[in-house]
Amino acid sequence: MQTLNDLLRGHACSRADAPALVYPQDGRSWTFGELQQQSNQVAAALTALGIGPQDRIAVLDKNVPEYFVFLYGGAKLGAVTVAVNWRLAAPEIEYVLNHCQAKVLLVGQAFAAQLMQMKLAHLRQIIVVGDDGPSEYPRFSRWIGGHVGARDPQVAVAAGDTCLQLYTSGTTGRPKGVETTHDNLLATFAAGFNLYRMSADSVSLVCMPLFHIGASGWGLISHFFGARVVVLNEAHAAQIVAQIPAQQVSHALLVPAVLQQLVQLPNTGAVDFSSL
């Protein structure tokens, strides 16, 4: 494996029916084969918009499984996914989107209205996640639905190409875009082989915000090992405690603040964490 594309293609070829993504909020799930096919559709839809190598494509939403479909689809073209901090104010989001020169934006319905306040110089297309309520922008499901049966574009992507760009918080100034390459990620994944003890039988929980490497990176490293990834919309302590036994979660990455919330729940001591 030299790129994220090799990662997904490998699992889709050898274990197409193995579970790759689960979204308990609405019960949807994807096998590696389905993830491969839908990411091919994303790649075709992005190609139709003129997206090519190293173009930036952005996501502004809470945790949704479409994020990984979008990321893998962009990676097949050599494009770079930028996960935007949805907690930022509109002027800060505007700065990040203009700074990275995002050409396509995948946005959650709850955040779409904020875009009216922004001047986005490079944006060609906005796509909305979800099918609820009116929208002046194309829906993700229909956007990729126009490319059913799309084939893997097989664009040449180098291991040293940037594939992910996450921004710092900007505590002491403007947020900085941190460029992560395919080999940055894969070298980290390989180094974690003995540390994480993950395998194709593992079930990994992604509940930290996807604009953090501790969520985006954690989900990708889980797929590196062929694990099933369970995506939670937010890091709500009660949901985490409920989903660990329900999904038989074996691996999770949680920050200290979330761990503190978990131990403060009145029923945590009675939960079966034996799978973890």
Side-chain angles (χ1 to χ4, degrees):
M1 294 185 190
Q2 295 188 352
T3 68
L4 294 181
N5 304 326
D6 298 331
L7 182 162
L8 181 57
R9 287 169 185 149
H11 290 306
C13 180
S14 62
R15 357 186 355 260
D17 295 330
L21 274 178
V22 177
Y23 193 53
Q25 272 82 352
D26 60 16
R28 288 181 296 155
S29 63
W30 288 254
T31 64
F32 279 104
E34 290 167 337
L35 187 55
Q36 166 78 346
Q37 180 53 46
Q38 286 196 14
S39 65
N40 288 346
Q41 293 172 237
V42 168
L46 290 172
T47 298
L49 294 172
I51 300 302
Q54 298 302 285
D55 283 337
R56 268 50 178 176
I57 57 173
V59 181
L60 175 63
D61 199 3
K62 295 184 179 180
N63 292 3
V64 288
E66 284 85 354
Y67 172 82
F68 289 100
V69 182
F70 193 67
L71 187 156
Y72 283 124
K76 287 180 176 179
L77 302 176
V80 181
T81 296
V82 180
V84 183
N85 184 344
W86 47 265
R87 293 191 178 117
L88 295 176
E92 296 168 318
I93 293 173
E94 178 186 65
Y95 170 79
V96 170
L97 291 173
N98 283 329
H99 181 266
C100 73
Q101 300 182 19
K103 294 182 178 178
V104 178
L105 175 63
L106 182 66
V107 63
Q109 182 70 54
F111 302 99
Q114 294 186 47
L115 302 179
M116 302 298 294
Q117 308 172 42
M118 305 177 198
K119 294 181 180 180
L120 303 172
H122 306 278
L123 210 57
R124 297 177 184 175
Q125 183 67 65
I126 297 169
I127 304 109
V128 174
V129 179
D131 297 317
D132 297 330
S135 174
E136 60 184 294
Y137 308 115
R139 301 284 184 177
F140 180 80
S141 58
R142 294 182 183 177
W143 182 62
I144 68 169
H147 299 274
V148 173
R151 296 186 177 184
D152 191 323
Q154 296 290 335
V155 173
V157 177
D161 289 346
T162 301
C163 60
L164 188 64
Q165 183 168 321
L166 303 181
Y167 276 75
T168 64
S169 61
T171 307
T172 58
R174 292 287 196 180
K176 317 283 192 299
V178 181
E179 297 185 72
T180 303
T181 64
H182 291 272
D183 52 8
N184 284 155
L185 289 171
L186 292 173
T188 302
F189 299 167
F193 183 80
N194 292 324
L195 175 63
Y196 300 126
R197 291 179 291 173
M198 224 182 262
S199 73
D201 296 323
S202 300
V203 180
S204 181
L205 183 67
V206 173
C207 61
M208 304 309 300
L210 285 166
F211 57 79
H212 281 301
I213 193 65
S216 286
W218 185 249
L220 293 172
I221 194 172
S222 303
H223 279 164
F224 175 83
F225 290 106
R228 170 160 51 103
V229 170
V230 178
V231 179
L232 293 188
N233 194 243
E234 287 190 75
H236 286 306
Q239 288 185 17
I240 294 170
V241 166
Q243 289 302 322
I244 288 175
Q247 301 290 337
Q248 289 294 285
V249 170
S250 60
H251 292 72
L253 191 155
L254 305 170
V255 297
V258 173
L259 291 171
Q260 185 177 23
Q261 293 171 17
L262 294 182
V263 299
Q264 288 176 340
L265 285 176
N267 63 335
T268 302
V271 177
D272 180 7
F273 291 116
S274 59
S275 65
L276 194 61

